[in-house]
Amino acid sequence: MVGIEEVRHLAYLARISIKDEELRLYAEQMDEILAYFNMLDELNVSDDVEPYRMCRAYNEMRDDVPVAFSDNVLSNAKNTKGRFIKAPKMSS
Amino acid sequence: MTKMSSDARVRIGLEIHCQLTALRSKLFCRCSADYRGKEPNTNVCPVCLGMPGTLPLLNRRAVEYAIMLALALNCKISKRITFYRKNYFYPDLPKNFQITQYNAYEHASVGVDGSLVLDDLNGSSKTIRIRRLQLEEDPGRLAYEGSIDTANYALVDYNRAGVALVEIVTEPDFDEPSEVRLFLNRLASILEHLGICNPALEGAVRCDANISIGEHARVEVKNINSFKDVERAVAFEITRQRSLASRGIEIRGETRHWDDARRITVQARMKEEEEDYRYFPEPDIPSIVVKEEDVEALRARMPELPYARVERFVKVYSLSSDTARILVNEKHLADLFEASTKYYDNARSIANWIVTDLKGYLERYASYDRNSKGDDGSSNSIFAKVTPRHIAELAMLVDSGKINRVTARQILQNVVASGMLPSAIVQGMDADMLSKKDELESIVNRVIEEERKAFMDALSNEKALNYLLGKVMRYSNGRADPKLALSMLKEKVADKSKGGK
Ligand SMILES: [Zn+2]
């Protein structure tokens, strides 16, 4: 069971503020998601399938050759100052 | 001596981040790895900005460099290298996760269980164990208008985001801050010899430290941006913790930041714990299968490493191991030494010259690089002028009795300023040394006139004084007596400071 305090902590980690009355709702929804994942645990998988490897390919790499990207990426940023992107100040 | 808890054993561990500055592109995208000095957010692409739908593609050479460094540090190389996502929200991280490595289910990081031997601890030696070595991406950089305390928002520059870092984590095997310094010097020399990271570049090597005393909680110190400051930060933290322990105050396990302006550690306000990072396997990067023969092929490609080079210097050139270590600890000195022996075959004499006179000169003056013109002050410009031939000639002149050591040191100063060969300078000294005060006076006045700012700096900064002296030597084509010129400059500076502004 996901507790109210766990939801509060997750909200802190995600740097979002949620209202007290929403805490219970989110806790219930997370419980549902976890219950679904628990179903996966019941699956019988053989030992040579390692569940934490999600991709069959391996050794896909590229050469160390730089190529500049020329589009103006700042056009996607709402808040800019000169060439900088403005972001909320976080206490360190 | 009574055994108080504050006398208990100190344990120090390090977490070092080295940028692979020899790479040309970033770790997971094709942006240039050379982000320094560029306009903000011009060295970026959809991948390193974390745009939806983009896919990272790993830089093969980054993996090779990381394996080479792991081998140099005696690590075991993982058979399967995989990447993980470390989740946290901070503006310098565009994706809200950092692609890094993690050894949760099996050894997935490039290297594990390594070691580095400190064999120059006042005659004794000690092994520092390396827990793991991993590849990860550098975050972007934050700037603030005015100071961080008064600014209303952060300014983000992602040019650095995605640059390849190797993280090296040691076991808490250090007992003293001085061992930390030795370790970092040795590591820097290994990086230079491998040619994968230039530690002299600003921000290329950064360090976090964890410190605990006795059974007390462990404290992490982050944000230490220079080698010199690591020793300072660790020493400060030991004193702080001892003082708390001796007064019976609990030492909290926490993260602190090094404040290099105030030279203290301060409590960090973010309270993420290791489990809060919710590491999970990076599904977009296929794992790297490393075969034994791949590792051996890389080992064969590795250049001579510091330990082997010290041994060779002792064997081939009959140097003492101390002298050999001092040379090899700074690769450029070792290179200069070997090249100089081609011009003069008295290797011990040359080594002696570099280790005592040249190194002493560099330590006193090399960091004054006021105009960033690379002029006179920086060690780069010194090495541009002091070539192997210069060193060989100086050693030869002293050995043959033509000049004494004091004169030789003055000639070195002259070489740095003028780039002339020592033999030519000695001839010039015999012919017409600019020794008369009034002849020098006009040159000194001209330099003070042209270098107003350095002159004002010289009131409080000895390195600025040396910068001025370099100019005098240059304008006199190396004919001025450096001693006399220096005393005249000092006189002018003294007059100025007496006379006020
Ligand atoms: Zn990029």
Side-chain angles (χ1 to χ4, degrees), chain B residues 319 323 327 337 346-359 405:
Chain B
L319 303 185
T323 303
L327 288 172
F337 161 74
N346 191 337
R348 292 174 69 155
S349 175
I350 288 171
N352 215 340
W353 235 93
I354 294 175
V355 166
T356 54
D357 303 86
L358 179 64
K359 201 163 181 299
R405 265 195 122 73

Side-chain angles (χ1 to χ4, degrees), chain B residues 125-138:
Chain B
S125 88
K126 174 173 185 171
T127 301
I128 304 296
R129 292 169 298 159
I130 310 284
R131 186 180 299 167
R132 65 165 194 269
L133 183 149
Q134 67 187 32
L135 265 175
E136 61 186 34
E137 56 179 343
D138 214 348

Side-chain angles (χ1 to χ4, degrees), chain B residues 20 23 27 58-67 135 164 166:
Chain B
L20 296 175
L23 291 177
L27 186 54
L58 183 58
N59 185 333
R60 180 181 293 110
R61 183 150 289 166
V63 178
E64 292 173 352
Y65 283 173
I67 291 176
L135 265 175
V166 168

Side-chain angles (χ1 to χ4, degrees), chain B residues 148 160 334:
Chain B
I148 184 166
R160 192 181 69 179

Side-chain angles (χ1 to χ4, degrees), chain B residues 26 29-31 43-49 161:
Chain B
K26 291 183 179 180
C29 66
R30 292 191 161 88
C31 291
N43 186 44
V44 288
C45 73
V47 176
C48 55
L49 286 174

Side-chain angles (χ1 to χ4, degrees), chain B residues 5 131 136 154 222 232 241 309 317-318 325 340 460:
Chain B
S5 63
R131 186 180 299 167
E136 61 186 34
K222 292 193 181 280
R232 280 193 195 119
Q241 292 183 25
R309 200 173 193 193
Y317 299 110
S318 308
R325 267 191 219 110
S340 302
S460 59

